[in-house]
Amino acid sequence: MTQSRAVAAVRPVFAGWRIMRSDAGRLWATRERPFPSAVEEAGAHRTVDGDDLVALCQAIAAQEGIAGGRAR
């Protein structure tokens, strides 16, 4: 599977995040809606990057984990 097809495959998993590739080939994702301010104060970042798709997915999951922990 090509990197582009792999990115398309994870979009439904991370709904609400827009995934992009830089000119240098690095992957970036930005959350379409900001986190609530309390979640940002807890350390969640709206934009993350990764060297590859696995790293990007881990970065997104980490931010959503922070948000989920803060929501409790």
Side-chain angles (χ1 to χ4, degrees), residues 7-43:
V7 167
V10 300
R11 281 192 176 117
V13 175
F14 293 111
W17 287 82
R18 182 163 297 165
I19 299 173
M20 304 153 280
R21 182 186 318 279
S22 72
D23 290 341
R26 190 162 181 80
L27 292 171
W28 291 81
T30 190
R31 199 165 192 274
E32 293 174 353
R33 290 189 195 188
F35 286 114
S37 58
V39 173
E40 289 184 358
E41 290 170 9

Side-chain angles (χ1 to χ4, degrees), residues 35 38-45 60-71:
F35 286 114
V39 173
E40 289 184 358
E41 290 170 9
H45 299 283
I60 294 170
Q63 301 318 301
E64 290 295 338
I66 293 168
R70 185 65 186 150

